[in-house]
Amino acid sequence: MIRRRTMLSCTAAVAIAPWWSAGWATTGRDALKSRADAVLHDHVSSGRVPGVVAALTDPTDTIYAGAQGTIGLGETAPISLDTVMAVFSMTKPLTSTAALQLVERGKLKLDEPAAKYLPQLSAVQVLEGYDASGAPRLRSPRRPVTLRHLLTHTSGFTYDIWDANLNRYYTEQNIPRLATRRKAALNVPIAFDPGDRWQYGIGIDWVGLLVEAASGQALGDYLERHLTGPLGMSSTGFQPSPEMRARLSKMHTRDNDGKLSVMAFAQQQNSEFEPGGSGLYSTAADYLKFLRMILNRGRAGGQQIVKPETVDLMSRNAIGPLRVGQLHTAIPFLSRNAEFFPDTPKTWSLAFMINESKAPTGRSAGSMAWAGLANTYFWIDPAKRIAGLAMMQLFPFVDPQALGVFLEFEKSAYMSI
């Protein structure tokens, strides 16, 4: 985790002139371009990151787009808004939206046992630790897992990246890891009784299986028909097309000395399931379309993708008094200890992290956000009616230099408004 404790560790329009109108259209945009371009250039020219794409949008259109660097160290092709990247957990909001579409249609319910659709969930057990002999201590949960639990990361399902007990369980029980895209990777115990606390995990992968069970379609097919297709996200999918592969970024890793290098990376192609929590490839240009749809309360291109009331649910606390806390790494190669804005209270909606007070970057209270493991980040600010992202391809997650690009870009946006 970054040692300094700084920024890591109402959606209806109002009847006043929006901030981006009138003089801002020239003065503010010029200031934004100057500041944001400088942030991206500084981080790339200094070698802190190999390449970065960043953009800011309002409900109508992109108001800033910038890119610096190449698709990889040693490459000459420039990175751009159309560069294809593995977005990892930026998959989750799309899968969550798909599930909520099915809730709207009565095909899923938030608070009934998810085992109604996925019987294997009725056998899930709680891992309380290990006994003196090293055997796992397991027991039955006190309540069943529901779709609401899965969407809000209160189900008890965790990630081995940030759960040492689960990491040990995968290893000692010889269970395939999630990256293999084998269904057996999901058949692991939960860390606590559903609803007892928040801890980030594989719950949205189970949500993807719920979408498949309720819709009768593969998750990728459902998304293409009901979400990414209607939004025009033609460069988003679980398996990159040959045309997308021609625009694919390299993946990088930073060693303990701070040196970046290109690493071999390819998500498993012969998959037993499409991971709704982490499996998509996309581009900055595509993902902006999803962000704009949320800003417009579910509407895009003359279509109502999700109901305004559903977007309202996605925009507010869904975990009550529980709070989002720090993720303690168990696999430092993949992630540092991670917490966004440590001194800012954070909750979780049915799709996003919510900062409950104003963030140090200027992000309004009640804004929505999340990120992907390879340092892709976004936020949505309903109060200011803007959304932004910064996308890179390198490990570990919340790498100080990569995170710095995102936070400085975001701050430059609010300084310009």
Side-chain angles (χ1 to χ4, degrees), residues 1 5 9 35 77 79 82 104 133 142 150 176 213 242 257 305 317 346:
M1 180 183 175
R5 288 181 60 81
S9 21
R35 290 186 177 114
I79 198 168
D82 291 318
E104 289 180 351
S133 70
R142 296 186 176 93
L150 294 168
D257 295 325
I305 307 299
N317 177 15
K346 298 166 292 291

Side-chain angles (χ1 to χ4, degrees), residues 44-206:
V44 173
S45 64
S46 65
R48 282 174 271 176
V49 298
V52 56
V53 177
L56 188 73
T57 187
D58 64 22
T60 304
D61 203 0
T62 302
I63 54 179
Y64 170 82
Q68 286 284 329
T70 65
I71 62 168
L73 291 174
E75 302 288 332
T76 58
I79 198 168
S80 75
L81 262 71
D82 291 318
T83 297
V84 176
M85 303 188 193
V87 298
F88 287 96
S89 287
M90 280 171 56
T91 305
K92 287 179 170 69
L94 276 73
T95 302
S96 299
T97 301
L100 292 169
Q101 286 178 327
L102 293 168
V103 171
E104 289 180 351
R105 296 166 192 161
K107 294 184 176 293
L108 288 173
K109 293 183 180 179
L110 286 170
D111 296 309
E112 66 183 1
K116 174 180 177 181
Y117 305 92
L118 300 173
Q120 60 268 46
L121 284 173
S122 62
V124 72
Q125 293 186 296
V126 179
L127 174 61
E128 293 190 313
Y130 296 84
D131 63 22
S133 70
R137 293 188 290 109
L138 299 165
R139 64 167 174 82
S140 297
R142 296 186 176 93
R143 59 191 70 91
V145 173
T146 67
L147 174 57
R148 185 185 299 275
H149 292 140
L150 294 168
L151 289 171
T152 58
H153 300 286
T154 60
S155 65
F157 282 112
T158 60
Y159 272 119
D160 59 331
I161 300 173
W162 300 287
D163 185 337
N165 275 343
L166 182 61
N167 189 18
R168 177 178 174 180
Y169 190 89
Y170 270 109
T171 301
E172 294 182 354
Q173 302 299 315
N174 198 29
I175 295 173
R177 302 288 174 141
L178 194 63
T180 65
R181 296 196 180 188
R182 292 174 59 188
K183 287 187 175 180
L186 301 178
N187 293 325
V188 292
I190 56 180
F192 52 87
D193 289 301
D196 276 9
R197 70 174 193 259
W198 180 93
Q199 189 168 338
Y200 192 55
I202 64 172
I204 310 300
D205 291 300
W206 284 103

Side-chain angles (χ1 to χ4, degrees), residues 52 90 145 179 212 223 269 272 295 298 306 314 339 352 375:
V52 56
M90 280 171 56
V145 173
E212 293 187 341
L223 290 175
Q269 298 302 299
E272 293 182 359
L295 281 176
V306 287
M314 298 166 73
E339 181 182 6
F352 307 104
N375 288 286

Side-chain angles (χ1 to χ4, degrees), residues 351-373:
F352 307 104
M353 183 186 76
I354 308 286
N355 55 293
E356 295 292 298
S357 61
K358 185 177 178 179
T361 53
R363 186 187 304 179
S364 302
S367 293
M368 300 163 274
W370 201 234
L373 191 66

